[in-house]
Amino acid sequence: MPFHLRAEAAGASLEIETSVGLPIHERRFEGTLSLSGDRLDRLASLLRYQLPPIGPYRLGARLQATPSAYLLSDLDLRVANSELHGKGSLHTGGVRPRIDVELFSDQVQIDDFTATAEGPAPPETPEAEADEQARVQTDLDLGGVDVEVEAPDAPEEPVSFLSPEGLLGFDGRLAVRVDHVLSGQDELGNTELVATLENGKLRVDPLKLALPGGEFQLEMDYAYSGSDVSARIRALAEQLEYGILARR
């Protein structure tokens, strides 16, 4: 059965086009997904995590759904003028959700991930956030249906990723490889990042950044022991030209 979903909320637009198999309750389908918006931090109230104020952003991918997972292939992610490609998955059958993402890019501009994007900021209070509504339009093979969906009366406060609640929200792995990293007009070189989150323990191993004349490498472990932070950081720098870093 052909199925078209378009949803708008929190300054973002989500669109899914697919053919849904019967019976629908088995949640198996394949199609395409696109998500776009002006500022990523406006999604914080929906995702329950504090997000950076970067943008505009757009994500497009092939989507495959099973009863316990959502798989993204041919993934294209654009933030301002930087583009990354890869794949991702969300598995929901474990103790907590698991998110795995692999991304690569020929060129990324660091400023696209550090500068505040234009556009309205998120509402400052939960009451103001609750006043925002989402409009969902679904088109089936026999026509379309409009549905009004109201936001919750008291949205939960988004948490920091590095808080105890944030670290225990999901497990996952992020791998990123970029061939050319730009910082303003300066070219830094290539970079590689592998980060894993398991049972509330964050590990970065490695974060590598090639700089003119040398390389910077970082390894990090971060977790909570009760209410105290347990962290280990190891950094290695070889023959770096510090002029570029000083200009930033």
Side-chain angles (χ1 to χ4, degrees), residues 56-110:
Y57 63 88
R58 185 186 184 282
L59 181 149
R62 295 284 306 173
L63 171 64
Q64 179 183 0
T66 70
S68 61
Y70 298 91
L71 309 177
L72 299 180
S73 59
D74 298 331
L75 187 154
D76 294 316
L77 173 64
R78 185 183 184 99
V79 178
N81 295 311
S82 296
E83 295 186 27
L84 299 103
H85 313 281
K87 62 181 180 179
S89 63
L90 168 61
H91 292 267
T92 59
V95 176
R96 58 181 64 87
R98 179 175 182 88
I99 302 172
D100 293 303
V101 178
E102 295 184 14
L103 297 171
F104 65 90
S105 177
D106 177 63
Q107 180 175 291
V108 162
Q109 170 62 252
I110 289 181

Side-chain angles (χ1 to χ4, degrees), residues 26-181:
E26 289 189 356
R27 202 175 69 184
R28 293 181 183 274
F29 60 85
E30 296 184 11
T32 60
L33 173 148
S34 67
L35 174 68
S36 61
D38 292 331
R39 286 176 53 135
L40 189 63
D41 57 343
R42 295 199 65 193
L43 290 176
S45 62
L46 298 178
L47 300 181
R48 305 307 187 213
Y49 276 89
Q50 296 174 6
L51 299 171
I54 59 176
Y57 63 88
R58 185 186 184 282
L59 181 149
R62 295 284 306 173
L63 171 64
Q64 179 183 0
T66 70
S68 61
Y70 298 91
L71 309 177
L72 299 180
S73 59
D74 298 331
L75 187 154
D76 294 316
L77 173 64
R78 185 183 184 99
V79 178
N81 295 311
S82 296
E83 295 186 27
L84 299 103
H85 313 281
K87 62 181 180 179
S89 63
L90 168 61
H91 292 267
T92 59
V95 176
R96 58 181 64 87
R98 179 175 182 88
I99 302 172
D100 293 303
V101 178
E102 295 184 14
L103 297 171
F104 65 90
S105 177
D106 177 63
Q107 180 175 291
V108 162
Q109 170 62 252
I110 289 181
D111 293 354
D112 292 339
F113 296 86
T114 57
T116 299
E118 298 180 358
E124 295 182 356
T125 65
E127 292 77 12
E129 182 65 35
D131 288 339
E132 287 199 347
Q133 291 185 338
R135 169 171 289 276
V136 180
Q137 178 176 332
T138 59
D139 290 319
L140 303 179
D141 56 334
L142 296 179
V145 179
D146 288 334
V147 182
E148 290 285 348
V149 181
E150 293 188 1
D153 292 336
E156 298 178 13
E157 190 73 18
V159 301
S160 166
F161 172 70
L162 293 179
S163 68
E165 298 83 2
L167 292 174
L168 288 171
F170 63 94
D171 292 336
R173 180 179 184 271
L174 171 66
V176 180
R177 187 186 79 251
V178 180
D179 292 335
H180 300 90
V181 178

Side-chain angles (χ1 to χ4, degrees), residues 183-210:
S183 179
Q185 298 298 317
D186 297 317
E187 182 171 346
L188 304 184
N190 59 74
T191 189
E192 176 185 355
L193 166 68
V194 177
T196 56
L197 180 61
E198 299 283 349
N199 300 318
K201 298 180 180 180
L202 174 65
R203 180 170 180 79
V204 176
D205 184 14
L207 168 59
K208 294 181 179 180
L209 177 61

